[in-house]
Amino acid sequence: MTAVKEMSNWDVEKIRADFPVLSQTVNGKPLVYLDNAASSQVPQVVIDRGAKYLREEHSNIHRGVHYLSQHATTAYEAAREKVKRFINAKEAKECIFVRGTTEGINLVAYSYGRKFVGEGDEILISAMEHHANIIPWQVLAEEKGARIKVIPINERGELILEEYENLLNERTKIVAVAHVSNALGTVNPVKEMIATAHKFGVPVLIDAAQSVPHFPVDVQDLDADFLVFSGHKMYAPTGSGVLYGKKEWLDKMPPYQTGGGMIRTVTFEKTTYAGLPEKFEAGTPAIAAGIGLGAAIDYLNSIDFEAAARYEHELLEYATEKLSAIEGVKLIGTAREKASVLSFTIENVHPHDIGTILDQSGIAVRAGHHCAQPVMQFFDVPATARASFAFYNTREEVDKLAEAVHKVIEVFA
Ligand code: PLP
């Protein structure tokens, strides 16, 4: 890793002023928020947009002819258009609004899985998946008599790609893999992996929960069949999220949930379903959250997202350098390509104690298994402490993190 001398030209103070939560103190210290991989903070413009909806536009969408309903529908569908442009989907109707990544993956496992996966088939995931990209496939496999196959990782926390090729065969029905690991920070070469899977005619789902918030993602360039992400990790409210799916697949898939809003006609004998995206959006959705996601995308478009990604990467390199220089600290996840996440342990200190002591200094990190227990098992640790960065974090905050880590070591010495 090369030494980081100068940060790129990024006006971080100007950006920080957009996020009201960052100016508060915690335990008498300025908040240092380094838990962005769990949930990022929300800029004022997104808060204002949500408030405007609730104050002036709140109404149920799609089925109303009155002014407010039409207004809310227009705002909600405009958010879908923004998502489409942001990830470069061919059509807005390929962008299904869901509650978040978890619901998006469950939707595909339930709908695609129940139609296209049968006895003896194989589902290929990786050893670094979040539980949200393991359990829905396990449940499906149990139900269908299918098998889960796992792409292994090496000691750096990188996928072993030769093994991946060997695991693909005519029984493979889907590959589901993280773009960026939330526990290790590894960026996986998903474009190449998708191309390889397609040689076998196998569709690929990308768990983009940790990539879409951190660098531009283009679903057509990747040629992803499915791609899922959560609004609350990308400066939008909880309850918003997206399942992107190629129309060719979504058209062939049965509904996931049924009820209002997803039908064409209903009689007691038979129901016919609406087209995309309504077929997959039964019931009243999280309207304010969806509109908020659109506002978060507007915000990201307004700040030079590519420059933000470069800045964030430099911050990660700086933090890596600082923490790895501390005796007793071990980084978990040292892949050559990483984004945003720095997982670490301290010799003889439980990660929960690290988290608690850092909190006393106003520093928010996450301590635990990060919903990736197989990763913890691989590295033979019960848990890690995880600092995860956003473009509003600063070099000074990294210095504070390093100081606080020194303090933890002193306390436990
Ligand atoms: N996948 C990854 C890689 C994640 O980091 C997370 C959340 O941490 C999820 C899936 C689940 O996201 P959500 O809880 O928003 O559904």
Side-chain angles (χ1 to χ4, degrees):
M1 182 144 311
T2 52
V4 182
K5 289 181 188 72
E6 295 223 356
M7 303 297 271
S8 57
N9 197 9
W10 175 252
D11 192 347
V12 69
E13 290 309 324
K14 182 162 174 283
I15 292 290
R16 287 177 73 78
D18 294 336
F19 290 82
V21 79
L22 297 177
S23 57
Q24 65 185 293
T25 55
V26 169
N27 292 325
K29 311 271 170 37
L31 168 66
V32 175
Y33 188 77
L34 300 177
D35 194 19
N36 296 287
S39 273
S40 54
Q41 297 299 343
V42 180
Q44 187 66 50
V45 282
V46 175
I47 298 169
D48 289 346
R49 186 63 191 91
K52 178 176 154 59
Y53 165 77
L54 292 172
R55 204 173 44 233
E56 298 169 19
E57 301 164 320
H58 177 58
S59 175
N60 210 323
I61 57 169
H62 292 148
R63 293 175 288 282
V65 291
H66 61 79
Y67 173 84
L68 277 188
S69 177
Q70 291 195 359
H71 218 69
T73 304
T74 303
Y76 193 69
E77 291 308 318
R80 198 188 307 276
E81 279 293 331
K82 289 171 192 181
V83 169
K84 173 213 158 207
R85 284 195 296 274
F86 191 61
I87 60 170
N88 193 30
K90 249 191 230 158
E91 298 182 66
K93 63 184 173 190
E94 296 180 308
C95 302
I96 312 296
F97 278 129
V98 288
R99 207 157 44 80
T101 306
T102 303
E103 190 178 41
I105 298 171
N106 273 277
L107 192 162
V108 178
Y110 184 93
S111 172
Y112 170 90
R114 273 152 193 83
K115 177 139 182 193
F116 292 104
V117 177
E119 195 170 347
D121 285 342
E122 295 178 0
I123 297 157
L124 195 47
I125 61 175
S126 92
M128 66 172 81
E129 297 310 314
H130 187 283
H131 297 163
N133 202 22
I134 301 174
I135 305 164
W137 304 114
Q138 263 175 354
V139 171
L140 173 70
E142 268 170 34
E143 198 179 303
K144 294 286 192 168
R147 273 194 303 268
I148 303 280
K149 294 276 167 148
V150 181
I151 311 161
I153 55 177
N154 64 23
E155 292 296 325
R156 287 171 172 270
E158 296 165 326
L159 294 179
I160 303 176
L161 292 172
E162 305 78 57
E163 299 280 333
Y164 168 58
E165 287 236 32
N166 292 337
L167 285 166
L168 280 162
N169 61 54
E170 70 286 350
R171 287 186 304 275
T172 315
K173 284 295 174 310
I174 192 160
V175 174
V177 68
H179 199 171
V180 174
S181 157
N182 68 306
L184 301 168
T186 312
V187 182
N188 290 320
V190 290
K191 184 171 172 177
E192 292 73 25
M193 293 177 75
I194 291 168
T196 308
H198 285 174
K199 279 195 243 154
F200 291 80
V202 178
V204 181
L205 176 143
I206 301 299
D207 174 350
Q210 299 294 345
S211 59
V212 166
H214 298 289
F215 51 82
V217 171
D218 179 329
V219 291
Q220 290 192 68
D221 179 55
L222 293 178
D223 202 16
D225 300 279
F226 303 102
L227 184 135
V228 285
F229 54 97
S230 302
H232 68 98
K233 296 181 197 290
M234 55 176 294
Y235 317 102
T238 51
S240 62
V242 175
L243 160 66
Y244 160 80
K246 278 184 185 164
K247 184 174 172 302
E248 303 88 277
W249 283 118
L250 294 176
D251 274 341
K252 288 185 201 137
M253 287 160 48
Y256 166 54
Q257 295 183 335
T258 53
M262 50 75 69
I263 56 94
R264 196 158 276 144
T265 59
V266 179
T267 65
F268 286 116
E269 289 71 38
K270 185 165 174 61
T271 293
T272 58
Y273 304 125
L276 298 174
E278 288 86 3
K279 182 171 82 171
F280 292 110
E281 294 184 355
T284 301
I287 303 167
I291 292 172
L293 177 59
I297 290 172
D298 286 342
Y299 178 76
L300 292 175
N301 288 333
S302 76
I303 62 163
D304 189 349
F305 191 39
E306 288 187 14
R310 281 195 298 278
Y311 170 81
E312 231 180 74
H313 195 73
E314 287 169 1
L315 206 56
L316 177 68
E317 289 197 336
Y318 180 61
T320 303
E321 212 175 81
K322 277 250 149 177
L323 286 204
S324 53
I326 302 174
E327 212 182 306
V329 170
K330 182 170 180 219
L331 300 188
I332 305 292
T334 50
R336 282 157 285 199
E337 295 292 330
K338 280 186 70 173
S340 173
V341 166
L342 196 59
S343 260
F344 61 96
T345 56
I346 300 177
E347 218 178 332
N348 301 325
V349 188
H350 194 280
H352 285 141
D353 293 328
I354 304 175
T356 306
I357 295 177
L358 295 192
D359 184 55
Q360 287 164 8
S361 301
I363 302 172
V365 297
R366 189 141 292 242
H369 53 62
H370 316 296
C371 297
Q373 286 188 2
V375 173
M376 303 298 122
Q377 286 149 18
F378 178 83
F379 285 96
D380 199 18
V381 290
T384 72
R386 181 187 71 185
S388 53
F389 303 97
F391 48 65
Y392 44 60
N393 290 124
T394 67
R395 225 173 138 94
E396 292 69 40
E397 288 181 321
V398 172
D399 293 339
K400 283 185 188 169
L401 171 68
E403 268 168 45
V405 165
H406 277 295
K407 209 184 290 170
V408 174
I409 292 170
E410 275 165 32
V411 170
F412 284 87

